[in-house]
Each structure stands twice: as C-alpha cells, then as structure tokens.
Amino acid sequence: MLGHAAPLRGMPLKAAATVVGEVVLLLAALAGLAPCASAEPAPPATARVTSKSQLMAAYLFNFTRFVEWPAGAAGDSSRAITIGVVADDSLYATLASIEGKQSNGRTLHVQRFAGPQVTQPCDVLFIGGAPQDWMKPLLAGLAGLPVLTVGEAEEFTESGGVLGFFFQDNKLRFEIDVENAERAKLGISSQLLRLARVRRGREALGQD
C-alpha cells in the first residue's frame, strides 16, 4: 500500500464506527442517491450499518453493480453472479442475507470456501484473513480469469488482487489495480474508479 494506509483487518470497533457515515454516503453515491460528496447521510441508513462485516457486505453488493464481466462469464445476463468468500466466516454469514437478491436484474449467490481450494467458479471472490503463503498462490491461480478478487490484506493488489480495502485516517477506502482488472477482462465503471485510489501495478494514478 502507498502512503500511511493500514489493512482493515484488526481495526478496533470504535474506529470502525467513525467511518460508518462515510461508508453509507459512499454507497449512496454508488447508487446515485447522493447529489454531492458533502451531503449528510440520513440517520436511519447509518443505523443499519453497524459492524465491519456489514460494511464489507454492503461494498461487495454494490461492486456487483459497477463491474462488467466478459461474455461467457458473469457477462451472461441469464446466470447468477456468485460471490465467494474465503477465510472470513463472519462476512459469509452477513452476505447470506443477500442470497437470492437481485443486482442489475441478476440473482446473487453466496458461496463459502474454508481454505485455499476454490472448488467452484466465482465471479467475485473475497479473500479474508488468508495466510500469505497461500494467498499469493491463490491469486496467481486466478490470474487472467474473469474474477473480481477483493481482499483486505496488506499488499493485496500488489500480489495480483483487483480491489483492496484499507483503512486510512479513520476512513474506509479501497484501491483498484486497473492492470489486474484488465488482465481479468473486467470492465470497471468510471463511477467506481472515481471513488477509488487507482493504481497500475506499482504506479499510483490518483486519489492518494
């Protein structure tokens, strides 16, 4: 990671609470509900987002709306979008609430994987507290496949992941490596890129 970013894992609950309003605003912006970045999030929406797992699940749900997969993968509008979760049972339990829901007219399916063997095709794969000794081989094995890989480990995008969460100055942020996205043949919406810290390999392109 660049600058003073820190991985999200291990963030104190009190610190997480300080970014709830910001995350709700971000999700509203993604959904086209916030007219400008300075708008205040509505209190009822803030109340619904109370834990790190809920924050992450809300992000993942919205990411499916702003990514395009190639034809033959999730680009086939007749099939479901599968979100896989590796090494994060709490997030999986939270995501289970969106099982069967719709994203841009597509049904969402959530799949849990206990270890590094991803035995079923996924369109989105969140890699949680994975040990470095198998996270990197897992990402290497997915290189070139149309999978939106998402993680929170330090140097996640440098290891080949497409989208990495990090925590900086009491703000939950994410970065997107456009080179890794292109390798996976994924189209990332300009709306999503404007909200991310964008990089190409080890080169930061903006939002630092």
Side-chain angles (χ1 to χ4, degrees), residues 70-118:
D76 180 357
S77 60
S78 66
R79 62 184 289 271
I81 295 176
T82 298
I83 302 175
V85 180
V86 176
D88 195 323
D89 290 344
S90 177
L91 177 61
Y92 171 72
T94 304
L95 279 171
S97 66
I98 69 169
E99 174 74 31
K101 293 189 181 298
Q102 299 287 303
S103 173
N104 289 342
R106 310 281 296 282
T107 301
L108 296 175
H109 171 62
V110 183
Q111 178 70 46
R112 173 185 176 273
F113 300 101
Q117 300 303 317
V118 177

Side-chain angles (χ1 to χ4, degrees), residues 5 8 15 29 49 55-56 78 83 85 95 105 118 122-123 126 128 133 145 156 168 170 185 194 199:
L8 185 63
V49 185
L55 300 181
M56 305 287 272
S78 66
I83 302 175
V85 180
L95 279 171
V118 177
C122 293
D123 306 300
F126 179 86
D133 61 349
L145 297 179
F156 183 77
Q168 183 177 42
N170 283 344
K185 302 178 179 63
R194 283 198 295 270
R199 63 186 303 140

Side-chain angles (χ1 to χ4, degrees), residues 134-201:
W134 62 258
M135 184 190 74
K136 290 185 177 181
L138 175 57
L139 287 171
L142 294 169
L145 297 179
V147 179
L148 176 64
T149 48
V150 183
E152 56 179 327
E154 195 168 4
E155 299 185 351
F156 183 77
T157 56
E158 291 93 325
S159 299
V162 175
L163 191 153
F165 287 110
F166 62 94
F167 185 65
Q168 183 177 42
D169 299 330
N170 283 344
K171 295 180 181 179
L172 179 67
R173 301 183 63 190
F174 61 92
E175 67 177 10
I176 296 174
D177 189 307
V178 292
E179 185 174 86
N180 293 341
E182 291 166 359
R183 188 178 295 115
K185 302 178 179 63
L186 300 175
I188 308 295
S189 165
S190 60
Q191 292 173 276
L192 191 59
L193 290 173
R194 283 198 295 270
L195 296 169
R197 183 171 71 182
V198 181
R199 63 186 303 140
R200 179 178 291 276

Side-chain angles (χ1 to χ4, degrees), residues 22-43:
E22 178 181 324
V23 172
V24 172
L25 178 58
L26 171 61
L27 299 180
L30 286 173
L33 300 177
C36 65
S38 61
E40 289 296 326

